[in-house]
Amino acid sequence: YSPSPQLRLASERFRDVTGLPVSLLPPVRQDRHLRRHAKAFLSLGCSLTDGISISVLEAMAMGSIPVQSNSACCRPWIKNGVNGF
């Protein structure tokens, strides 16, 4: 949602290695951002902080499966393979 230069490079490498399409989307208003979660099957969040991941909460609220880096404090809420990864 706000990818750093390092995450942009990592996403390009992921795309090149896996052949899976990756889209880094520009920032939009909150309502459009939530609609993205509602349309998505998965919502991927990569962060370096220990705080709560708002994108995980948004994904869960809008029905997409959150996939979050292990740095967020939401780990107890997610049952791996059941309601997130």
Side-chain angles (χ1 to χ4, degrees):
Y1 317 115
S2 301
S4 67
Q6 296 89 345
L7 186 57
R8 287 183 184 280
L9 290 173
S11 66
E12 290 169 6
R13 180 175 172 160
F14 176 82
R15 180 197 61 218
D16 294 345
V17 169
T18 65
L20 296 171
V22 175
S23 298
L24 299 177
L25 303 174
V28 293
R29 292 186 333 242
Q30 175 87 21
D31 60 322
R32 289 198 60 210
H33 180 70
L34 291 174
R35 282 198 297 268
R36 288 176 176 171
H37 280 295
K39 290 181 180 181
F41 179 74
L42 295 173
S43 293
L44 177 62
C46 301
S47 61
L48 299 174
T49 64
D50 293 333
I52 187 63
S53 171
I54 298 301
S55 62
V56 164
L57 298 176
E58 292 169 338
M60 293 172 99
M62 299 307 293
S64 64
I65 299 170
V67 179
Q68 177 63 40
S69 56
N70 203 22
S71 59
C73 66
C74 59
R75 188 178 331 154
W77 305 340
I78 296 177
K79 295 188 187 305
N80 194 24
V82 176
N83 65 344
F85 297 92

